[in-house]
Amino acid sequence: MLQSMKELSGQIAVNSAHDIVLFKTEAEGELTVLPSDRVTSIHFYDMDKNINRKFISIQDKTVAPANYRLYEVVIQGDVSVLRRPEFDDPRDEVTSFDYFVRLREKEVVSLNLFRSKVYNELVRLSENRVSEYVSNNRLNPARAADVIRIIEFFNRQDYTFKHQVAKSN
């Protein structure tokens, strides 16, 4: 999906390290390079990995001038987990990526900063349900594997809870 809300269909290659999408139309076979500021989201089936992939383009306002970056969505929900390759050619599917957290439509935060930048907000929004879950399951909000479990718990909450998240924005 483009920023103009136009939907494209054809062959696609995503290079999130360089924030570009290569798109080839089925009919004309014309190759187009789309910078991330022209893209909203990309969905495709990765035959090599046998998974559906989703990428989103998010404006990075921490740099001047502000530019758009492509992130792969690992977990989608009120709290999303995103990733970007550390290198041009990721060596493996887990360790060659930098991971990020995004609460609703707010800023993208490094997964390493979850404890200091996101955790307390989830505890507040959940009326301490997240804190109880962490305590009962002996989780550490500073450890990546536990952060994933905490986010999955938060995203599974009922409608009343999710309504509370929407009101806080």
Side-chain angles (χ1 to χ4, degrees), residues 12-17 20-22 42 44 55 70:
I12 195 165
V14 177
N15 186 322
S16 54
I20 61 171
V21 177
L22 301 173
I42 303 151
F44 67 93
F55 290 81
L70 287 173

Side-chain angles (χ1 to χ4, degrees), residues 23 31 33 38 40 43-44 60 76 78 88 101 103 105-106 116 132 142 144 160 162 164 166:
F23 174 74
L31 183 65
V33 177
R38 292 200 37 218
T40 302
H43 304 262
F44 67 93
D60 182 357
Q76 187 169 332
D78 286 321
D88 288 349
V101 176
L103 175 59
E105 299 298 318
K106 296 183 180 179
S116 62
E132 291 168 11
T160 329
K162 289 190 181 289
Q164 187 179 17

Side-chain angles (χ1 to χ4, degrees), residues 20-113:
I20 61 171
V21 177
L22 301 173
F23 174 74
K24 188 175 186 179
T25 58
E26 300 279 333
E28 300 95 37
E30 179 180 312
L31 183 65
T32 304
V33 177
L34 299 169
S36 56
D37 65 338
R38 292 200 37 218
V39 176
T40 302
S41 63
I42 303 151
H43 304 262
F44 67 93
Y45 175 71
D46 184 337
M47 289 175 35
D48 293 338
K49 305 287 188 223
N50 192 30
I51 59 170
N52 288 310
R53 292 188 182 259
K54 178 179 181 181
F55 290 81
I56 57 174
S57 179
I58 301 172
Q59 189 173 21
D60 182 357
K61 297 176 184 173
T62 63
V63 296
N67 61 349
Y68 285 81
R69 313 224 9 143
L70 287 173
Y71 295 87
E72 183 172 6
V73 179
V74 178
I75 296 176
Q76 187 169 332
D78 286 321
V79 180
S80 297
V81 175
L82 312 170
R83 72 179 187 175
R84 287 183 49 83
E86 288 180 339
F87 311 104
D88 288 349
D89 182 25
R91 289 154 183 71
D92 69 63
E93 280 297 308
V94 178
T95 60
S96 294
F97 288 86
D98 291 322
Y99 287 83
F100 302 89
V101 176
R102 187 177 191 205
L103 175 59
R104 308 267 309 153
E105 299 298 318
K106 296 183 180 179
E107 71 179 301
V108 175
V109 175
S110 170
L111 190 72
N112 297 332
L113 298 175

